Amino acid sequence: MTEIVLVQGDITSESTDAIVNAANSSLLGGGGVDGAIHRRGGPQILAECKQLRANTYPDGLAAGHAVATTAGDLEARWVIHTVGPVHSTTEDRSATLISCYRESLRVADELGATTVAFPAISTGVYGWPIDDGARKAVHTVRATDTDVTEVRFVLFDGRAYRAFTDALS
Ligand code: AR6
């Protein structure tokens, strides 16, 4: 049974076993959650991401997939990088968004991480509407068979926090 906890704040302050990063395919950093994680986690995370690009993902990590690195100076042990879909009004990319949550939990299980903090993937720079993003996040975690005992959604602002509160009830 996975308990779902909602928190409003900055995901880089979490001390869960793993923190999920809303990354991009390059794995080389960006803005939003990604920028904050690399800033606060220090250069070790980027060094491992560069290794992953050199050895495993020469063309980058595809949307909907997930991969782990060290969490560097963060309190967490691992960062799980996943690439959300860019929202589109002409194409339904829901399956890719759902896959991000599912794949991140699969990677967490591989690592033995039992507590995992997630941001609201794709709902920032990638433009996914927060209410729908929240419903898909909550539903996917509930529907996924995992050894993770606590999923903590860390929401940056009040609007996202309310969307997740509604999705949970
Ligand atoms: N802690 C928790 N949530 C945050 C934080 C934080 N420190 N900062 C932003 N959010 P985004 P995406 C919220 O843009 O939409 C990057 O440039 C934010 O309000 O981080 O998946 C990557 O490199 C929003 O609700 O991720 C990619 O290029 C949610 O986290 C691209 O952005 C996700 O916003 C990925 O876009």
Side-chain angles (χ1 to χ4, degrees):
M1 188 61 191
T2 308
E3 188 191 1
I4 296 178
V5 177
L6 306 184
V7 185
Q8 190 177 330
D10 179 346
I11 198 166
T12 61
S13 302
E14 289 297 325
S15 54
T16 43
D17 293 338
I19 289 177
V20 175
N21 182 18
N24 61 62
S25 288
S26 80
L27 293 177
L28 302 179
V33 173
D34 199 6
I37 283 176
H38 283 285
R39 235 179 352 261
R40 213 162 151 187
Q44 245 188 301
I45 302 175
L46 184 60
E48 268 193 43
C49 285
K50 284 181 175 164
Q51 287 292 322
L52 283 167
R53 281 301 305 277
N55 301 324
T56 318
Y57 302 106
D59 301 323
L61 184 69
H65 291 243
V67 67
T69 65
T70 173
D73 300 333
L74 298 174
E75 277 186 62
R77 288 179 67 185
W78 299 285
V79 171
I80 298 173
H81 306 262
T82 190
V83 181
V86 176
H87 185 259
S88 161
T89 50
T90 54
E91 187 188 13
D92 183 5
R93 298 175 179 168
S94 299
T96 308
L97 183 60
I98 287 165
S99 175
C100 288
Y101 289 100
R102 208 184 280 137
E103 283 296 297
S104 296
L105 290 170
R106 189 185 59 73
V107 170
D109 283 343
E110 274 176 15
L111 295 166
T114 57
T115 57
V116 180
F118 278 93
I121 298 164
S122 283
T123 66
V125 174
Y126 283 177
W128 204 284
I130 186 67
D131 291 322
D132 189 66
R135 279 193 296 270
K136 290 199 162 76
V138 167
H139 180 265
T140 305
V141 168
R142 281 181 171 156
T144 301
D145 184 22
T146 170
D147 295 328
V148 171
T149 55
E150 182 185 318
V151 162
R152 203 166 250 267
F153 287 112
V154 184
L155 297 326
F156 212 39
D157 55 28
R159 181 145 179 265
Y161 185 83
R162 281 192 295 280
F164 274 75
T165 305
D166 290 347
L168 257 189
S169 61

